[in-house]
Amino acid sequence: MTQSLGAFHRKCVEWAAYEFRWPGFEPDVLYSVNKVLNEPDFPPLSILHQALQDLRLIRHYKGKAVLTKAGRSILGNHGALQAFLTEWSIG
């Protein structure tokens, strides 16, 4: 986490860009515009980060994003996570 914005570090953003394979946000496209990738440069991660915080599935603690009790309870249950995220996007 970056201290000033509470955003994910550039290494995490770079990892997400490669792993998410989000159309229009591929790493080569992103790097053609920016030298480094910050969280706001990769909206899919930025939105997911905000959703997980709003749903209180993660929180920031000593410069790290950690799972809350609710977040740990749905760990590995992809259907429950999808339900949480769907509810968040509708609400």
Side-chain angles (χ1 to χ4, degrees):
M1 308 287 310
T2 58
Q3 287 188 351
S4 62
L5 298 175
F8 289 125
H9 282 289
R10 291 174 177 161
K11 286 182 183 180
C12 181
V13 177
E14 183 178 359
W15 170 86
Y18 281 101
E19 291 298 317
F20 287 15
R21 299 181 193 153
W22 202 273
F25 292 98
E26 294 87 0
D28 55 334
V29 173
L30 295 171
Y31 280 121
S32 70
V33 178
N34 302 306
K35 284 186 176 183
V36 295
L37 297 181
N38 295 308
E39 187 176 322
D41 300 327
F42 189 57
L45 179 62
S46 186
I47 293 168
L48 181 61
H49 185 190
Q50 186 63 46
L52 294 174
Q53 280 186 288
D54 289 352
L55 292 166
R56 297 190 174 149
L57 298 177
I58 65 168
R59 63 186 177 93
H60 295 165
Y61 180 72
K62 293 187 178 181
K64 295 184 180 182
V66 294
L67 289 170
T68 62
K69 185 176 180 181
R72 287 190 303 274
S73 73
I74 65 166
L75 196 60
N77 186 348
H78 304 293
L81 177 59
Q82 186 175 3
F84 269 103
L85 293 173
T86 302
E87 190 71 29
W88 177 80
S89 68
I90 294 171

